[in-house]
Amino acid sequence: MTKIKICGLMTVADANLVNQAGVDYAGAVFAEGRHRVDEVTARLIRQELSDNIPLVGVFTDSPVEEIIALYQKDIIQIAQLHGPRQPEEIQQLKRAAVPLIGVALGQKLDEQLGAYAGVDYLMVDSGKGSGRTLDWQTLPKNKMTEKLFLAGGLTVFNLKEAIAEVQPFAVDISSGSESSGQKDLEKIEKLVAIAHQKGE
Ligand SMILES: O=C(O)c1ccccc1NCC(=O)[C@H](O)[C@H](O)COP(=O)(O)O
């Protein structure tokens, strides 16, 4: 079974959909872009989410203090660092006991993953909720799949093949869980069924 994160929740209704579908992680984006939520909305999403679904806060360049504050208020349970960070910043987050996903984007994945020593999970992605498919055939050989989130253009059509090829710990999907820019329950249920299929 592969765990599944649905990212880019923007409303309480979205939280309801992922509860119904039985996802393993939900994501709220605090970075620039069409999925961006503010703290008030993120708190409402957290309140609606099932207790067993951690809310992952997605950050590009937010100050570390903001990330720690959201974690200490229990609005997010994990921070996804979707852009390069100084080693000192990672250490500061670790000292505050914030569980971390370090993201490597696009090219030279090996080099980028190397900068995330000590984080809890790694993610490889093609962009920032871009829907572009990552060429998972070119992933680094030493990709530490036991703590790897695979992202980038995953859909109901390619998820099974991607999981078989990469065997990640988890998959992360945003665009592929939407229709006309809105979260789509039918798609999310199909994605969860594919990811949770036993023996794959
Ligand atoms: O989704 C965004 O709008 C976003 C903005 C800025 C930084 C990161 C962002 N998303 C990160 C994610 O975790 C997405 O789920 C991931 O990039 C995969 O997206 P997709 O290719 O659309 O499935």
Side-chain angles (χ1 to χ4, degrees):
M1 177 184 125
T2 307
K3 293 190 183 290
I4 177 163
K5 165 174 170 263
I6 295 294
C7 199
L9 270 56
M10 290 185 288
T11 63
V12 167
D14 289 345
N16 237 303
L17 298 188
V18 299
N19 286 346
Q20 282 182 64
V23 307
D24 302 292
Y25 302 90
V29 176
F30 291 85
E32 279 305 325
R34 73 177 183 88
H35 292 113
R36 184 176 204 157
V37 293
D38 59 17
E39 182 175 333
V40 173
T41 307
R43 185 189 289 280
L44 292 172
I45 289 172
R46 175 62 273 170
Q47 285 168 352
E48 187 67 20
L49 270 183
S50 300
D51 289 347
N52 62 341
I53 303 178
L55 183 61
V56 179
V58 178
F59 304 92
T60 50
D61 52 4
S62 305
V64 163
E65 293 72 18
E66 274 179 28
I67 302 175
I68 293 173
L70 288 164
Y71 176 71
Q72 289 175 343
K73 291 176 198 170
D74 208 20
I75 294 173
I76 62 166
Q77 287 67 52
I78 302 177
Q80 178 175 322
L81 305 176
H82 217 94
R85 290 281 173 173
Q86 295 300 319
E88 299 73 28
E89 294 180 290
I90 294 175
Q91 288 313 315
Q92 212 180 325
L93 288 160
K94 279 169 57 94
R95 276 197 300 278
V98 183
L100 296 175
I101 303 175
V103 183
L105 277 175
Q107 308 283 315
K108 299 190 178 163
L109 296 170
D110 252 341
E111 245 171 58
Q112 296 177 59
L113 292 177
Y116 285 120
V119 303
D120 301 271
Y121 302 100
L122 297 165
M123 180 183 286
V124 289
D125 195 356
S126 59
K128 301 173 177 176
S130 66
R132 272 198 319 273
T133 307
L134 182 76
D135 182 5
W136 53 80
Q137 321 245 342
T138 62
L139 287 179
K141 289 283 168 276
N142 173 22
K143 52 190 186 293
M144 296 167 280
T145 52
E146 72 286 353
K147 55 192 254 182
L148 185 78
F149 280 67
L150 176 68
L154 296 170
T155 68
V156 292
F157 301 110
N158 64 12
L159 184 60
K160 188 173 174 178
E161 186 195 343
I163 288 174
E165 181 74 31
V166 179
Q167 298 180 8
F169 164 75
V171 289
D172 171 50
I173 301 159
S174 184
S175 315
S177 65
E178 296 175 346
S179 296
S180 307
Q182 305 291 317
K183 294 297 175 212
D184 177 326
L185 179 60
E186 204 180 315
K187 282 189 180 170
I188 298 171
E189 285 180 333
K190 281 188 189 158
L191 291 163
V192 171
I194 296 167
H196 285 178
Q197 227 155 17
K198 300 248 166 25
E200 301 205 17

